[in-house]
Each structure stands twice: as C-alpha cells, then as structure tokens.
Amino acid sequence: MDYIRKIPLLLGAGAGLIIGLIGLSAGVPNKENMLNMCVGMVIFYMVGILIRSTVKGIAEQAMEMIKKKEEEEKRREKEKNRIEDQKENEESLGASIDMTVGDESELPDDDNFDDLPIAEFIKNELE
C-alpha cells in the first residue's frame, strides 16, 4: 500500500525526467525545456492522483467484499451448528421417552390367563 500512496510523486518525477532528457537530446533551449518539464510534471501528478484514488477505491471494495464473505460464512456456520444442536436435542429427547404405560405387575401372566367361556363353547360345538 505504500507504493500506492507514492504513485503521483513517482509519475510526476518520472515524466519530468523523461521530458527533460528528450528536450536535451533534441536541443531545446533550457528555459523552454524547464517549462515543458514543469507542465509535464503537473499533468502526470494529477493523473497519478486519479490512479491512486481508483486503486484505493478498488482495494477498499475488495476488503469489504472479503469481510462480507467472512461474515456470511460465520453466519452459515452458526446456523449449521444451531441446526445440529437442535437435531441432537431432538434425538436425546426421543431416546429418553418411556413408552410403557403403567407397571409391569399389571400385565397378565400366561399361566394365569383364563379363556373366555365363548371359546369353550366354540370348541365343544366343533367337536
């Protein structure tokens, strides 16, 4: 991020250096060459400011999107954990339910079971 902050200065200085070297090699008088360098430095400094603001805006949006994705994943994870906890609670509640009604002492034994008189009547009639 440090280079992003220095973009306007680097562009302006680079443009001034290049314009000055081109002017010296072309044989432009020094006064006119200095004016061309100053104008070029100002223009490229402004272009650097535009580039810096654009890059910072993109970086902020990217960080914001990353933060939103992390929050969304945390929310999904919490929701998933909550659903799993509910399932575990339902399973533990279902396992602890006693399905018997009354005591076992109330159930009739096979030895003490008496047939109804109707059953005896049917047996006698069929024989």
Side-chain angles (χ1 to χ4, degrees), residues 75-88:
R75 187 183 61 79
R76 286 181 185 168
E77 187 68 28
K78 285 181 182 179
E79 183 70 22
K80 183 179 177 182
N81 289 339
R82 186 183 62 82
I83 290 172
E84 288 176 0
D85 289 343
Q86 282 181 346
K87 286 182 181 178
E88 288 176 5

Side-chain angles (χ1 to χ4, degrees), residues 17-125:
L17 183 65
I18 292 171
I19 290 171
L21 290 174
I22 291 172
L24 283 175
S25 67
V28 178
N30 285 341
K31 194 172 188 181
E32 189 178 325
N33 195 17
M34 291 294 283
L35 180 65
N36 289 340
M37 287 173 58
C38 288
V39 170
M41 287 175 69
V42 169
I43 291 172
F44 276 92
Y45 188 81
M46 288 182 193
V47 170
I49 289 174
L50 291 173
I51 292 171
R52 180 180 64 188
S53 65
T54 303
V55 170
K56 278 188 176 182
I58 291 171
E60 287 175 2
Q61 285 181 350
M63 293 298 289
E64 189 176 308
M65 289 181 72
I66 290 171
K67 195 179 278 187
K68 283 182 181 179
K69 284 182 182 180
E70 288 175 354
E71 290 174 1
E72 181 71 22
E73 286 185 20
K74 285 180 183 179
R75 187 183 61 79
R76 286 181 185 168
E77 187 68 28
K78 285 181 182 179
E79 183 70 22
K80 183 179 177 182
N81 289 339
R82 186 183 62 82
I83 290 172
E84 288 176 0
D85 289 343
Q86 282 181 346
K87 286 182 181 178
E88 288 176 5
N89 288 340
E90 289 174 359
E91 289 175 1
S92 65
L93 288 176
S96 65
I97 294 176
D98 188 16
M99 299 300 285
T100 60
V101 178
D103 294 329
E104 291 183 14
S105 61
E106 295 177 5
L107 295 176
D109 293 336
D110 288 339
D111 297 336
N112 296 335
F113 182 73
D114 294 329
D115 292 335
L116 292 173
I118 297 172
E120 288 180 23
F121 176 75
I122 293 174
K123 283 182 186 177
N124 292 337
E125 289 294 321

